[in-house]
Amino acid sequence: MTKPLSKADYSPTGVTVHHDPARLTRVVRALRAAGRNIALVPTMGALHAGHRKLIREAQVMQNTVVVVSVFVNPLQFGPNEDLARYPRALESDVDICREERVGIVFAPSVEDMYPFGTNVSISPGALGNELEGATRPGHFDGVLTVVAKLFNIVGPTYAVFGEKDYQQLTLVHRMARELNFPLDVVGVPTVREHDGLALSSRNRFLSAEERQTAVGLSAALVAGAHVSAQGPEAVLKTARDTLAAVPGIDLDYLELRAPDLGPAPEKGDARLLVAARVGTTRLIDNAAVLLGDGDD
Ligand code: PAF
């Protein structure tokens, strides 16, 4: 039998912060029993306008309680990556969630999230070793493992992810489908600054000069997409030339792929993806392109 919810469990007029997974599971179970849908927005915090857009997308669904998870997941960081310096700002994250009329913030500690260790994980398959995975071995095992745990803890009807992390979105879609998670994965277009820079929690690490340099990534995507009617080689050459013209961009990869991240077609829908280091900050971006004349 479902225990009735107290004010400390959930308040229809404000945001409630939960840390304990078992308690949150009990709360969302009661909310579902009362006929509410649960929409999950998984984040690592340091929320910005891109996250606000994910939250607003989650709110579009009827009769929904939005749960925003804020958890910097150590499993998805490699030994030489920026786990220690990743921004943590729970207080202002909760303020943003309050402004956005989020129902619940789930902010577990590492111990709350992994009380039994991390022996079991989800393998993303071959795509997990490509693109981001080639530079960040094990990254997507860590992402999919924590996302699967969040799905099990929260039991959402919808889970909302940004297209900025396009490979992540693709792999989460794949996991949900192949492992029969009973939910819809919703992708939301990237939010950009006025000059095209994709919003990212890591942008705060950029100096003013690096911030200018970083615009080169989105500029390359736009330049590539601009010549997409000429086919894949033209797209890649134009984007590569645009990146090469900006000093300070240390390119990791620039690749054209199919929308499901299989090999790029000669014609039709494709995705152009880029990753580069600017100073000490690694940035990623991507854009949809329509190759050839789009007729099959
Ligand atoms: O995109 C992110 O912020 C993270 O990879 C996610 C999905 C919250 C998992 O830790």
Side-chain angles (χ1 to χ4, degrees):
M1 216 184 66
T2 319
K3 237 170 91 182
L5 292 180
S6 71
K7 276 218 176 86
D9 289 326
Y10 174 72
S11 156
T13 56
V15 62
T16 309
V17 180
H18 282 277
H19 303 284
D20 175 21
R23 181 162 176 195
L24 176 63
T25 298
R26 188 175 67 72
V27 170
V28 288
R29 195 173 289 152
L31 288 168
R32 277 196 305 273
R36 307 297 299 272
N37 289 316
I38 308 295
L40 172 66
V41 182
T43 82
M44 295 206 300
L47 303 184
H48 50 64
H51 296 110
R52 286 187 194 262
K53 188 164 172 201
L54 302 184
I55 292 167
R56 287 174 194 176
E57 195 62 41
Q59 268 151 350
V60 165
M61 334 273 180
Q62 285 292 306
N63 196 25
T64 292
V65 176
V66 175
V67 178
V68 173
S69 63
V70 174
F71 179 62
V72 182
N73 173 35
L75 240 56
Q76 68 190 74
F77 288 79
N80 300 317
E81 293 184 9
D82 57 355
L83 173 63
R85 80 162 180 167
Y86 199 87
R88 286 151 172 94
L90 184 58
E91 225 173 284
S92 65
D93 289 344
V94 173
D95 289 343
I96 288 175
C97 286
R98 189 174 295 110
E99 280 167 28
E100 295 295 330
R101 291 173 294 104
V102 165
I104 293 173
V105 170
F106 176 46
S109 67
V110 174
E111 293 69 34
D112 291 329
M113 207 56 186
Y114 296 111
F116 308 111
T118 53
N119 301 299
V120 177
S121 64
I122 298 218
S123 163
L127 179 56
N129 298 323
E130 300 171 22
L131 299 163
E132 281 305 281
T135 305
R136 308 186 66 189
H139 171 66
F140 289 114
D141 304 60
V143 169
L144 293 190
T145 301
V146 82
V147 169
K149 284 171 71 75
L150 290 168
F151 286 177
N152 285 329
I153 292 164
V154 177
T157 313
Y158 310 99
V160 184
F161 295 81
E163 283 186 359
K164 155 112 180 340
D165 296 293
Y166 190 80
Q167 189 177 5
Q168 168 173 285
L169 173 63
T170 305
L171 285 168
V172 169
H173 256 300
R174 199 175 271 190
M175 175 182 78
R177 192 177 53 213
E178 292 191 14
L179 299 187
N180 301 85
F181 281 98
L183 52 88
D184 284 337
V185 175
V186 178
V188 177
T190 303
V191 179
R192 297 179 181 281
E193 305 268 16
H194 65 283
D195 55 6
L197 181 68
L199 294 197
S200 161
S201 303
R202 289 186 169 97
N203 288 353
R204 66 186 66 192
F205 298 138
L206 299 169
S207 68
E209 200 186 322
E210 288 168 349
R211 160 81 187 61
Q212 275 313 108
T213 304
V215 177
L217 270 73
S218 53
L221 298 177
V222 170
H226 197 68
V227 297
S228 61
Q230 295 168 40
E233 285 78 27
V235 169
L236 285 169
K237 181 177 179 333
T238 305
R240 199 168 291 124
D241 290 351
T242 308
L243 288 165
V246 186
I249 293 186
D250 178 10
L251 183 62
D252 184 350
Y253 62 79
L254 173 74
E255 287 202 33
L256 197 53
R257 295 276 182 121
D260 67 356
L261 297 182
E266 282 298 312
K267 255 182 168 191
D269 287 325
R271 205 87 196 178
L272 184 58
L273 304 105
V274 65
R277 207 167 273 282
V278 176
T280 57
T281 306
R282 193 165 178 285
L283 299 171
I284 59 174
D285 201 353
N286 69 85
V289 291
L290 182 60
L291 296 168
D293 55 15
D295 294 332
D296 284 321

Coordinates of all heavy atoms in Angstrom, one line a residue, residues 32-116:
R32 N 2.8 8.8 -8.9 CA 2.2 8.1 -10.0 C 0.9 7.5 -9.7 O -0.1 7.5 -10.5 CB 3.2 7.0 -10.5 CG 4.3 7.5 -11.4 CD 5.0 6.4 -12.1 NE 5.5 5.4 -11.2 CZ 6.7 5.5 -10.6 NH1 7.5 6.5 -10.9 NH2 7.1 4.6 -9.8
A33 N 0.8 6.9 -8.4 CA -0.5 6.3 -8.0 C -1.6 7.4 -8.0 O -2.8 7.0 -8.1 CB -0.3 5.7 -6.6
A34 N -1.2 8.6 -7.8 CA -2.2 9.7 -7.7 C -2.5 10.2 -9.2 O -3.1 11.3 -9.3 CB -1.7 10.8 -6.8
G35 N -1.9 9.6 -10.1 CA -2.2 9.9 -11.5 C -1.3 10.9 -12.2 O -1.5 11.4 -13.3
R36 N -0.2 11.2 -11.5 CA 0.8 12.2 -12.1 C 1.8 11.4 -13.0 O 2.2 10.3 -12.7 CB 1.6 12.9 -11.0 CG 0.7 13.6 -10.0 CD -0.2 14.7 -10.6 NE 0.5 15.8 -11.2 CZ 1.0 16.8 -10.5 NH1 0.7 17.0 -9.2 NH2 1.6 17.8 -11.1
N37 N 2.2 12.1 -14.1 CA 3.3 11.6 -14.9 C 4.6 12.2 -14.3 O 4.6 13.3 -13.8 CB 3.3 12.1 -16.3 CG 2.2 11.4 -17.1 OD1 2.0 10.2 -17.0 ND2 1.4 12.2 -17.8
I38 N 5.7 11.5 -14.4 CA 7.0 12.0 -13.9 C 7.9 12.2 -15.1 O 8.1 11.3 -16.0 CB 7.7 10.9 -13.0 CG1 6.7 10.5 -11.8 CG2 9.0 11.5 -12.4 CD1 6.3 11.5 -10.9
A39 N 8.4 13.4 -15.2 CA 9.4 13.7 -16.3 C 10.7 14.0 -15.6 O 10.8 14.8 -14.6 CB 9.0 15.0 -17.1
L40 N 11.7 13.3 -16.1 CA 13.1 13.4 -15.5 C 14.0 14.2 -16.3 O 14.0 14.0 -17.6 CB 13.7 12.0 -15.3 CG 15.1 11.9 -14.8 CD1 15.3 12.5 -13.4 CD2 15.7 10.5 -14.9
V41 N 14.7 15.2 -15.7 CA 15.7 15.9 -16.4 C 17.0 15.6 -15.7 O 17.3 16.2 -14.7 CB 15.4 17.5 -16.4 CG1 16.5 18.2 -17.2 CG2 14.1 17.8 -17.0
P42 N 17.8 14.7 -16.2 CA 19.1 14.4 -15.6 C 20.2 15.4 -15.9 O 20.3 15.8 -17.0 CB 19.5 13.0 -16.2 CG 18.4 12.5 -17.0 CD 17.6 13.8 -17.4
T43 N 20.8 15.9 -14.8 CA 21.9 16.9 -15.0 C 23.0 16.7 -14.1 O 22.9 15.9 -13.1 CB 21.4 18.4 -14.7 OG1 21.4 18.6 -13.3 CG2 20.0 18.6 -15.3
M44 N 24.1 17.4 -14.4 CA 25.2 17.4 -13.4 C 25.3 18.7 -12.7 O 26.3 19.1 -12.1 CB 26.6 17.0 -14.1 CG 26.6 15.6 -14.7 SD 28.2 14.9 -14.8 CE 29.0 16.0 -16.0
G45 N 24.2 19.5 -12.7 CA 24.1 20.7 -12.0 C 24.8 21.9 -12.8 O 25.1 21.8 -14.0
A46 N 25.1 23.0 -12.0 CA 25.6 24.2 -12.7 C 24.7 24.6 -13.8 O 25.1 24.8 -14.9 CB 27.1 24.0 -13.2
L47 N 23.4 24.7 -13.4 CA 22.3 24.8 -14.4 C 22.4 26.2 -15.1 O 22.8 27.2 -14.5 CB 21.0 24.7 -13.7 CG 20.7 23.4 -13.0 CD1 19.3 23.3 -12.4 CD2 21.0 22.2 -13.8
H48 N 22.1 26.1 -16.4 CA 22.2 27.4 -17.2 C 20.9 27.4 -18.1 O 20.0 26.5 -18.0 CB 23.5 27.4 -18.0 CG 23.8 26.2 -18.8 ND1 23.0 25.7 -19.8 CD2 24.8 25.3 -18.6 CE1 23.5 24.6 -20.3 NE2 24.6 24.3 -19.6
A49 N 20.9 28.3 -19.1 CA 19.7 28.5 -19.9 C 19.4 27.2 -20.7 O 18.2 26.9 -21.0 CB 19.8 29.7 -20.8
G50 N 20.4 26.4 -21.0 CA 20.2 25.2 -21.8 C 19.4 24.2 -20.9 O 18.4 23.5 -21.4
H51 N 19.7 24.1 -19.6 CA 18.9 23.3 -18.7 C 17.5 23.8 -18.5 O 16.5 23.0 -18.4 CB 19.6 23.2 -17.3 CG 20.9 22.5 -17.4 ND1 22.1 23.2 -17.2 CD2 21.3 21.2 -17.6 CE1 23.1 22.4 -17.3 NE2 22.7 21.2 -17.5
R52 N 17.4 25.1 -18.5 CA 16.0 25.7 -18.4 C 15.1 25.2 -19.5 O 13.9 24.9 -19.4 CB 16.1 27.2 -18.4 CG 16.6 27.8 -17.1 CD 16.4 29.3 -17.1 NE 17.2 30.0 -16.1 CZ 16.6 30.5 -14.9 NH1 15.4 30.3 -14.7 NH2 17.4 31.1 -14.1
K53 N 15.8 25.2 -20.7 CA 15.0 24.7 -21.9 C 14.6 23.2 -21.7 O 13.4 22.9 -22.1 CB 15.8 24.9 -23.2 CG 15.0 24.7 -24.4 CD 15.6 25.2 -25.6 CE 14.9 24.7 -26.9 NZ 15.7 24.8 -28.1
L54 N 15.5 22.4 -21.2 CA 15.1 21.0 -21.0 C 13.9 20.9 -20.0 O 13.0 20.1 -20.2 CB 16.3 20.2 -20.4 CG 17.6 20.2 -21.2 CD1 18.6 19.3 -20.5 CD2 17.4 19.7 -22.6
I55 N 14.0 21.7 -18.9 CA 12.9 21.7 -17.9 C 11.6 22.1 -18.5 O 10.6 21.5 -18.3 CB 13.3 22.6 -16.7 CG1 14.5 22.0 -15.9 CG2 12.1 22.8 -15.8 CD1 15.2 23.0 -14.9
R56 N 11.7 23.2 -19.3 CA 10.4 23.7 -19.9 C 9.8 22.7 -20.9 O 8.6 22.5 -21.0 CB 10.7 25.0 -20.7 CG 10.9 26.1 -19.7 CD 11.3 27.4 -20.3 NE 11.8 28.3 -19.2 CZ 12.3 29.5 -19.3 NH1 12.4 30.0 -20.6 NH2 12.7 30.2 -18.3
E57 N 10.7 22.0 -21.6 CA 10.3 20.9 -22.5 C 9.6 19.8 -21.6 O 8.5 19.3 -22.0 CB 11.5 20.3 -23.2 CG 11.1 19.4 -24.4 CD 10.4 20.2 -25.5 OE1 10.7 21.3 -25.8 OE2 9.5 19.6 -26.0
A58 N 10.2 19.5 -20.5 CA 9.6 18.4 -19.6 C 8.2 18.9 -19.1 O 7.3 18.0 -18.9 CB 10.5 18.2 -18.4
Q59 N 8.0 20.2 -18.9 CA 6.8 20.7 -18.4 C 5.6 20.7 -19.4 O 4.5 20.8 -19.0 CB 7.0 22.1 -17.8 CG 7.3 22.1 -16.4 CD 8.1 23.3 -16.0 OE1 8.6 24.0 -16.8 NE2 8.3 23.4 -14.7
V60 N 6.0 20.6 -20.7 CA 5.0 20.6 -21.7 C 4.1 19.4 -21.6 O 2.9 19.5 -21.9 CB 5.7 20.7 -23.1 CG1 4.7 20.3 -24.2 CG2 6.3 22.0 -23.4
M61 N 4.6 18.3 -21.1 CA 3.8 17.1 -21.0 C 2.7 17.3 -20.0 O 2.9 17.9 -18.9 CB 4.6 15.9 -20.6 CG 6.1 16.0 -21.0 SD 6.5 15.4 -22.6 CE 8.2 15.6 -22.7
Q62 N 1.5 16.8 -20.3 CA 0.3 16.9 -19.4 C 0.5 16.3 -18.0 O 1.1 15.2 -17.9 CB -0.8 16.2 -20.1 CG -1.4 17.0 -21.3 CD -2.1 18.2 -20.9 OE1 -3.0 18.2 -20.0 NE2 -1.7 19.4 -21.4
N63 N 0.1 17.0 -17.0 CA -0.1 16.4 -15.7 C 1.2 15.8 -15.1 O 1.2 14.8 -14.5 CB -1.2 15.3 -15.8 CG -1.7 14.9 -14.5 OD1 -1.7 15.6 -13.6 ND2 -2.2 13.6 -14.4
T64 N 2.2 16.6 -15.3 CA 3.6 16.1 -15.0 C 4.2 16.7 -13.8 O 4.1 18.0 -13.6 CB 4.5 16.4 -16.3 OG1 4.0 15.5 -17.3 CG2 5.9 16.0 -16.0
V65 N 4.9 15.9 -13.0 CA 5.8 16.5 -12.0 C 7.2 16.3 -12.6 O 7.6 15.2 -13.0 CB 5.7 15.7 -10.7 CG1 6.7 16.2 -9.7 CG2 4.3 15.7 -10.1
V66 N 8.0 17.4 -12.6 CA 9.3 17.4 -13.2 C 10.3 17.1 -12.0 O 10.3 17.8 -11.0 CB 9.7 18.7 -13.9 CG1 11.1 18.7 -14.3 CG2 8.7 19.0 -15.0
V67 N 11.2 16.1 -12.2 CA 12.2 15.8 -11.3 C 13.5 16.2 -12.0 O 13.8 15.6 -13.1 CB 12.3 14.3 -10.9 CG1 13.4 14.0 -10.0 CG2 10.9 13.9 -10.3
V68 N 14.3 17.1 -11.4 CA 15.7 17.4 -12.0 C 16.7 16.7 -11.1 O 16.7 17.0 -9.9 CB 15.9 18.9 -12.0 CG1 17.3 19.3 -12.4 CG2 14.9 19.6 -12.9
S69 N 17.5 15.8 -11.7 CA 18.6 15.2 -10.8 C 19.8 16.1 -11.0 O 20.1 16.6 -12.1 CB 18.8 13.8 -11.2 OG 19.3 13.7 -12.5
V70 N 20.5 16.3 -9.9 CA 21.8 17.1 -9.9 C 22.8 16.1 -9.3 O 22.8 15.9 -8.1 CB 21.6 18.3 -9.1 CG1 23.0 19.1 -8.9 CG2 20.6 19.3 -9.7
F71 N 23.7 15.6 -10.1 CA 24.7 14.6 -9.6 C 25.9 14.6 -10.5 O 25.7 14.3 -11.7 CB 24.0 13.2 -9.5 CG 25.0 12.2 -9.0 CD1 25.5 12.2 -7.7 CD2 25.3 11.1 -9.8 CE1 26.4 11.3 -7.3 CE2 26.2 10.1 -9.3 CZ 26.7 10.2 -8.1
V72 N 27.0 15.0 -10.0 CA 28.3 14.9 -10.7 C 28.8 13.5 -10.6 O 29.3 13.1 -9.5 CB 29.3 16.0 -10.2 CG1 30.6 15.9 -11.1 CG2 28.7 17.4 -10.3
N73 N 28.6 12.7 -11.7 CA 28.8 11.3 -11.6 C 30.2 10.9 -11.8 O 30.7 10.9 -13.0 CB 27.9 10.7 -12.7 CG 28.1 9.2 -12.9 OD1 28.3 8.5 -12.0 ND2 28.0 8.7 -14.2
P74 N 30.9 10.4 -10.8 CA 32.4 10.1 -10.9 C 32.6 9.1 -12.0 O 33.7 9.1 -12.6 CB 32.8 9.7 -9.5 CG 31.6 9.7 -8.7 CD 30.5 10.2 -9.4
L75 N 31.7 8.2 -12.2 CA 31.9 7.0 -13.1 C 32.1 7.5 -14.5 O 32.7 6.7 -15.3 CB 30.6 6.2 -13.0 CG 30.8 4.7 -12.6 CD1 31.4 4.7 -11.2 CD2 29.4 4.0 -12.6
Q76 N 31.7 8.6 -14.9 CA 31.8 9.0 -16.3 C 33.0 9.9 -16.6 O 33.2 10.5 -17.7 CB 30.5 9.7 -16.8 CG 30.2 11.0 -16.2 CD 28.8 11.4 -16.6 OE1 27.8 10.9 -16.1 NE2 28.6 12.4 -17.5
F77 N 33.9 10.1 -15.5 CA 35.1 10.9 -15.7 C 36.3 10.0 -15.7 O 36.4 9.1 -14.9 CB 35.2 11.9 -14.5 CG 34.2 13.1 -14.5 CD1 32.9 12.9 -14.1 CD2 34.6 14.3 -15.0 CE1 32.0 13.9 -14.1 CE2 33.7 15.4 -15.0 CZ 32.4 15.2 -14.6
G78 N 37.2 10.2 -16.6 CA 38.5 9.5 -16.7 C 39.4 10.0 -15.6 O 39.2 11.1 -15.1
P79 N 40.5 9.3 -15.3 CA 41.4 9.7 -14.3 C 42.1 11.1 -14.5 O 42.4 11.8 -13.5 CB 42.5 8.6 -14.3 CG 42.2 7.7 -15.4 CD 40.9 8.0 -16.0
N80 N 42.3 11.5 -15.8 CA 42.9 12.8 -16.0 C 41.9 13.9 -16.4 O 42.2 14.9 -17.0 CB 44.0 12.7 -17.1 CG 45.0 11.7 -16.6 OD1 45.5 11.8 -15.4 ND2 45.5 10.9 -17.5
E81 N 40.6 13.6 -16.1 CA 39.6 14.6 -16.5 C 39.2 15.6 -15.4 O 39.8 15.5 -14.4 CB 38.4 13.8 -17.1 CG 38.7 13.1 -18.4 CD 37.5 12.4 -19.0 OE1 36.4 12.6 -18.5 OE2 37.7 11.6 -19.9
D82 N 38.2 16.4 -15.7 CA 37.9 17.5 -14.8 C 36.9 17.3 -13.7 O 36.2 18.2 -13.3 CB 37.5 18.7 -15.6 CG 36.3 18.5 -16.5 OD1 35.8 17.3 -16.5 OD2 35.8 19.4 -17.2
L83 N 36.9 16.0 -13.1 CA 35.9 15.8 -12.0 C 36.1 16.7 -10.9 O 35.1 17.3 -10.4 CB 36.1 14.3 -11.6 CG 35.3 13.9 -10.3 CD1 33.8 14.0 -10.6 CD2 35.6 12.5 -9.9
A84 N 37.3 16.9 -10.4 CA 37.5 17.8 -9.2 C 37.1 19.2 -9.5 O 36.6 19.9 -8.6 CB 39.0 17.7 -8.8
R85 N 37.4 19.7 -10.7 CA 37.0 21.1 -10.9 C 35.6 21.4 -11.5 O 35.2 22.5 -11.8 CB 38.1 21.8 -11.8 CG 38.1 21.6 -13.2 CD 38.9 22.7 -14.0 NE 38.8 22.4 -15.4 CZ 39.2 23.3 -16.3 NH1 39.7 24.5 -16.0 NH2 39.1 23.0 -17.6
Y86 N 34.9 20.2 -11.8 CA 33.6 20.4 -12.4 C 32.7 21.3 -11.5 O 32.7 21.0 -10.2 CB 32.9 19.0 -12.6 CG 31.8 19.2 -13.6 CD1 32.0 19.1 -15.0 CD2 30.5 19.5 -13.2 CE1 31.0 19.2 -15.9 CE2 29.4 19.7 -14.1 CZ 29.7 19.5 -15.4 OH 28.7 19.7 -16.3
P87 N 32.0 22.3 -12.0 CA 31.3 23.2 -11.1 C 30.2 22.6 -10.3 O 29.5 21.8 -10.8 CB 30.8 24.3 -12.1 CG 30.8 23.7 -13.4 CD 31.9 22.7 -13.4
R88 N 30.2 22.9 -9.0 CA 29.1 22.4 -8.1 C 28.4 23.6 -7.5 O 29.1 24.5 -6.9 CB 29.7 21.5 -7.1 CG 30.1 20.1 -7.6 CD 31.2 19.5 -6.8 NE 31.5 18.1 -7.2 CZ 32.5 17.8 -8.1 NH1 33.2 18.7 -8.7 NH2 32.7 16.5 -8.3
A89 N 27.1 23.7 -7.7 CA 26.4 25.0 -7.3 C 25.0 24.6 -6.9 O 24.0 25.2 -7.4 CB 26.4 25.9 -8.5
L90 N 24.8 23.7 -5.9 CA 23.5 23.2 -5.6 C 22.5 24.3 -5.2 O 21.3 24.3 -5.7 CB 23.5 22.1 -4.5 CG 22.2 21.4 -4.3 CD1 21.6 20.8 -5.5 CD2 22.3 20.4 -3.2
E91 N 23.0 25.3 -4.4 CA 22.0 26.3 -4.0 C 21.4 27.1 -5.1 O 20.2 27.2 -5.2 CB 22.8 27.2 -3.0 CG 22.0 27.6 -1.8 CD 22.9 28.4 -0.8 OE1 23.8 27.8 -0.2 OE2 22.6 29.6 -0.7
S92 N 22.3 27.5 -6.0 CA 21.7 28.3 -7.2 C 21.0 27.4 -8.1 O 20.0 27.8 -8.8 CB 22.8 29.1 -7.9 OG 23.7 28.3 -8.5
D93 N 21.4 26.1 -8.2 CA 20.6 25.1 -9.0 C 19.2 25.0 -8.5 O 18.2 25.0 -9.2 CB 21.3 23.7 -9.0 CG 22.6 23.7 -9.8 OD1 22.8 24.6 -10.6 OD2 23.3 22.7 -9.6
V94 N 19.0 24.9 -7.1 CA 17.7 24.8 -6.6 C 16.9 26.1 -6.8 O 15.7 26.1 -7.1 CB 17.8 24.5 -5.0 CG1 16.4 24.6 -4.4 CG2 18.4 23.1 -4.8
D95 N 17.6 27.3 -6.7 CA 16.9 28.5 -7.0 C 16.4 28.5 -8.5 O 15.2 28.9 -8.7 CB 17.9 29.7 -6.9 CG 18.2 30.0 -5.4 OD1 17.5 29.5 -4.6 OD2 19.2 30.7 -5.2
I96 N 17.2 28.1 -9.4 CA 16.7 28.0 -10.8 C 15.6 27.1 -10.9 O 14.6 27.4 -11.6 CB 17.9 27.6 -11.7 CG1 18.9 28.8 -11.8 CG2 17.4 27.2 -13.1 CD1 20.2 28.5 -12.6
C97 N 15.6 25.9 -10.3 CA 14.5 25.0 -10.3 C 13.3 25.6 -9.7 O 12.2 25.3 -10.2 CB 14.9 23.7 -9.6 SG 16.1 22.7 -10.6
R98 N 13.4 26.3 -8.7 CA 12.2 27.0 -8.1 C 11.6 27.9 -9.1 O 10.4 27.9 -9.3 CB 12.7 27.7 -6.8 CG 11.5 28.3 -6.0 CD 11.9 28.8 -4.6 NE 12.5 27.9 -3.7 CZ 13.8 27.8 -3.4 NH1 14.7 28.7 -3.9 NH2 14.3 26.9 -2.6
E99 N 12.5 28.8 -9.7 CA 12.0 29.7 -10.7 C 11.3 29.0 -11.9 O 10.3 29.5 -12.4 CB 13.2 30.5 -11.3 CG 13.7 31.6 -10.5 CD 15.0 32.1 -11.1 OE1 15.3 32.0 -12.3 OE2 15.8 32.6 -10.2
E100 N 11.8 27.8 -12.2 CA 11.2 27.1 -13.3 C 10.0 26.1 -12.9 O 9.6 25.3 -13.7 CB 12.3 26.2 -14.0 CG 13.4 27.1 -14.7 CD 12.8 27.9 -15.8 OE1 11.9 27.5 -16.5 OE2 13.4 29.0 -16.1
R101 N 9.6 26.2 -11.6 CA 8.5 25.5 -11.1 C 8.7 24.0 -11.2 O 7.8 23.2 -11.5 CB 7.2 25.9 -11.8 CG 6.7 27.3 -11.4 CD 5.6 27.8 -12.1 NE 5.9 28.0 -13.6 CZ 5.5 27.1 -14.5 NH1 4.8 26.1 -14.2 NH2 5.8 27.4 -15.8
V102 N 10.0 23.6 -10.9 CA 10.3 22.1 -10.8 C 9.7 21.6 -9.6 O 9.7 22.3 -8.5 CB 11.9 22.0 -10.8 CG1 12.3 20.6 -10.4 CG2 12.4 22.3 -12.2
G103 N 9.2 20.3 -9.6 CA 8.6 19.8 -8.4 C 9.6 19.2 -7.4 O 9.6 19.5 -6.2
I104 N 10.6 18.5 -7.9 CA 11.6 17.8 -7.1 C 13.0 17.9 -7.7 O 13.2 17.7 -8.9 CB 11.2 16.3 -7.0 CG1 9.9 16.1 -6.2 CG2 12.3 15.5 -6.3 CD1 9.4 14.7 -6.2
V105 N 13.9 18.3 -6.8 CA 15.4 18.2 -7.2 C 15.9 17.0 -6.4 O 15.7 16.8 -5.2 CB 16.1 19.5 -6.7 CG1 17.6 19.2 -6.9 CG2 15.7 20.7 -7.6
F106 N 16.6 16.1 -7.2 CA 17.2 14.9 -6.6 C 18.7 15.1 -6.6 O 19.3 15.2 -7.7 CB 16.8 13.7 -7.4 CG 17.5 12.4 -6.9 CD1 17.5 12.1 -5.6 CD2 18.0 11.5 -7.9 CE1 18.2 10.9 -5.2 CE2 18.6 10.3 -7.4 CZ 18.7 10.0 -6.1
A107 N 19.3 15.3 -5.4 CA 20.7 15.6 -5.3 C 21.4 14.6 -4.4 O 21.7 15.0 -3.2 CB 20.9 17.1 -4.8
P108 N 21.6 13.4 -4.9 CA 22.3 12.4 -4.0 C 23.8 12.7 -3.9 O 24.4 13.4 -4.7 CB 22.0 11.1 -4.8 CG 22.0 11.5 -6.2 CD 21.4 12.9 -6.2
S109 N 24.4 12.2 -2.8 CA 25.8 12.1 -2.7 C 26.3 10.9 -3.5 O 25.5 10.1 -3.9 CB 26.3 12.0 -1.3 OG 25.9 10.8 -0.8
V110 N 27.6 10.8 -3.7 CA 28.2 9.6 -4.3 C 27.8 8.4 -3.5 O 27.5 7.3 -4.1 CB 29.7 9.8 -4.5 CG1 30.4 8.5 -5.0 CG2 30.1 11.0 -5.4
E111 N 27.9 8.5 -2.2 CA 27.6 7.3 -1.3 C 26.1 7.0 -1.5 O 25.7 5.8 -1.5 CB 27.9 7.6 0.1 CG 29.4 7.8 0.5 CD 30.0 9.1 -0.1 OE1 29.3 10.1 -0.2 OE2 31.2 9.0 -0.6
D112 N 25.2 8.0 -1.6 CA 23.8 7.7 -1.7 C 23.6 7.0 -3.0 O 22.7 6.1 -3.1 CB 23.0 9.0 -1.9 CG 22.9 9.8 -0.6 OD1 22.9 9.2 0.5 OD2 22.8 11.1 -0.7
M113 N 24.3 7.3 -4.0 CA 24.1 6.8 -5.4 C 24.7 5.4 -5.6 O 24.2 4.6 -6.3 CB 24.6 7.8 -6.4 CG 24.0 7.8 -7.7 SD 22.2 8.0 -7.7 CE 21.9 7.8 -9.4
Y114 N 25.9 5.2 -5.0 CA 26.6 3.9 -5.2 C 26.9 3.3 -3.9 O 28.0 3.0 -3.5 CB 27.9 4.2 -6.0 CG 27.7 4.7 -7.4 CD1 28.1 6.1 -7.7 CD2 27.2 4.0 -8.4 CE1 27.9 6.6 -8.9 CE2 27.0 4.5 -9.7 CZ 27.4 5.8 -9.9 OH 27.2 6.2 -11.2
P115 N 25.9 3.0 -3.0 CA 26.1 2.4 -1.7 C 26.7 1.0 -1.8 O 27.3 0.6 -0.8 CB 24.7 2.4 -1.0 CG 23.8 2.4 -2.2 CD 24.4 3.1 -3.3
F116 N 26.5 0.3 -2.9 CA 27.0 -1.1 -2.9 C 28.2 -1.2 -3.9 O 28.6 -2.3 -4.3 CB 25.9 -2.0 -3.4 CG 24.6 -1.9 -2.6 CD1 23.5 -1.3 -3.2 CD2 24.6 -2.3 -1.3 CE1 22.3 -1.2 -2.5 CE2 23.4 -2.1 -0.6 CZ 22.3 -1.5 -1.1

